Amino acid sequence: MTAPIPLVVLTGFLGSGKTTLLNRWLDQRGDLAVVINELGEIGIDKDLARRVGAPISLLAGGCVCCAVQGTLRTTLRNLYMARAGGDLPPFSAVLLETTGAADPFGVTAVLEQDAWLRKRFTLRSILTTVDTVAGEAALARFPEALEQVTAADQLLLTKTDRATAAQRGALVDALRRLNPRAGVDDAASADAGLLDRDFPRQCRITGALAPAGALATLAPRPERRGHHLHPSGLRWRGRIAYDRLQEALAALRAEAGDELVRLKGLAIDKLDGPLLIQAVAGQAVEVAPLPAWPGGDEDSRLVVIAAGEDAGTPTRWLEHWRIYLGLADVASA
């Protein structure tokens, strides 16, 4: 049997810049197979991922750490068989981008617990992006962010240009307390060569790969009883005038308040092409032009993720959005 194929897990909390980093790495090399996990049924990140000769697979509908583990097993098996049969180029590694709510140990457990996969794939590294501006708040509020940091072999700071020196220093101190074995670097200086670096696995706990040693925490770690992050998405035909879009976004954020953790969308009515819309928690909405509609269609789509106990909350937000804008031909998920 040939040597196992390395698997690199790229994780990080919602809005921490994973897809931006992924695209930079795909620009640098085309010898990767990419698997992208999205929390909701309506995907955006896969459409935004650059296609530079790399096969890209989508795992939608839930976190790869819990809801779609079986789909991950099937996807890895299919990638391996297609590569062995010559239906795909002989990619040198698989890069798995998790949803921002994933527990990386739930991902690595798939390799540990499946004998067929364990012979054919090997976990090379867990790379975790951390938003330098919002990172401390996420660590204090969300167990998912803590899990991603404590699992990391390498921590990559994003949005450093927007943070003060004090913010960066406080975050780095917190990260080193949480995971003293992981390096901390700026994502901007991390080129695709990082994907070839092997990190030693520290120890095994109940079949999952885990860091060694006791880890300090910013606060007592919440007991995990499933996710309290709930997605909902909307997809529609037709365009929205830019000023009307801005009004609708303001109304959505006012209604959602602190429960809105992530907003991401593709739209709208712009002379030079579609727009990418993004927001993280309380940060300002970012709107950036795209050169073309990704995904082979001109459907607008919006995905929101809410924090809380009520899984129906984000769906209600988007129903109000639909009514506010008078949208027809709408699909929701």
Side-chain angles (χ1 to χ4, degrees):
M1 182 179 291
T2 59
I5 300 170
L7 173 71
V8 176
V9 177
L10 175 61
T11 191
F13 196 61
L14 298 160
S16 61
K18 296 183 295 299
T19 303
T20 299
L21 185 59
L22 170 67
N23 277 331
R24 179 148 55 82
W25 288 341
L26 290 180
D27 281 341
Q28 294 172 12
R29 54 193 294 179
D31 61 333
L32 305 170
V34 180
V35 179
I36 296 177
N37 177 214
E38 301 210 47
L39 192 58
E41 296 288 351
I42 294 179
I44 292 178
D45 288 345
K46 180 177 183 291
D47 288 339
L48 295 175
R50 302 207 208 294
R51 288 162 173 76
V52 192
I56 298 177
S57 304
L58 175 66
L59 305 179
C63 263
V64 70
C65 64
C66 49
V68 293
Q69 280 192 340
T71 309
L72 175 59
R73 290 187 178 94
T74 300
T75 297
L76 292 177
R77 286 171 181 264
N78 289 344
L79 283 172
Y80 184 89
M81 298 305 291
R83 178 180 184 266
D87 297 322
L88 286 177
F91 49 83
S92 65
V94 176
L95 178 56
L96 167 61
E97 180 193 348
T98 77
T99 172
D103 174 3
F105 294 137
V107 177
T108 59
V110 171
L111 294 185
E112 286 294 286
Q113 296 166 7
D114 187 305
W116 193 93
L117 292 177
R118 192 165 59 243
K119 293 178 182 178
R120 293 163 176 83
F121 293 89
T122 182
L123 177 65
R124 171 170 279 171
S125 60
I126 299 174
L127 311 177
T128 299
T129 55
V130 184
D131 184 328
T132 311
V133 176
E136 272 201 288
L139 288 169
R141 184 179 178 189
F142 299 107
E144 293 86 352
L146 279 173
E147 290 162 348
Q148 293 155 6
V149 165
T150 58
D153 296 305
Q154 183 73 41
L155 295 160
L156 299 169
L157 301 181
T158 62
K159 309 178 188 178
T160 53
D161 57 327
R162 307 180 195 178
T164 65
Q167 279 179 311
R168 189 185 191 284
L171 178 61
V172 169
D173 288 345
L175 295 175
R176 286 178 173 156
R177 291 197 305 273
L178 284 162
N179 188 348
R181 72 184 180 91
V184 182
D185 290 311
D186 286 2
S189 61
D191 65 25
L194 179 61
L195 303 176
D196 296 324
R197 181 179 169 189
D198 289 299
F199 292 83
R201 306 271 54 89
Q202 302 295 312
C203 65
R204 300 175 190 273
I205 299 175
T206 62
L209 303 176
L215 295 170
T217 58
L218 295 175
R221 185 166 177 166
E223 182 180 355
R224 182 75 172 265
R225 292 190 179 92
H227 295 304
H228 297 285
L229 296 168
H230 310 293
S232 188
L234 208 61
R235 187 173 191 139
W236 68 93
R237 294 290 176 90
R239 298 173 176 243
I240 302 171
Y242 185 70
D243 57 349
R244 187 68 170 149
L245 169 67
Q246 295 285 58
E247 293 172 4
L249 288 171
L252 171 60
R253 298 198 74 183
E255 177 184 4
D258 291 341
E259 289 184 281
L260 178 62
V261 180
R262 183 74 166 121
L263 178 154
K264 196 165 190 175
L266 293 170
I268 299 299
D269 188 7
K270 197 71 173 174
L271 293 177
D272 53 354
L275 300 174
L276 173 64
I277 306 158
Q278 300 190 79
V280 179
Q283 298 180 32
V285 175
E286 300 176 13
V287 179
L290 293 173
W293 285 91
D297 59 54
E298 293 191 2
D299 285 2
S300 294
R301 65 210 79 161
L302 184 69
V303 173
V304 293
I305 299 174
E309 300 295 329
D310 185 355
T313 295
T315 301
R316 288 192 291 274
W317 293 344
L318 291 186
E319 176 60 13
H320 297 160
W321 166 278
R322 186 190 68 78
I323 294 170
Y324 185 91
L325 292 170
L327 297 177
D329 300 323
V330 166
S332 60

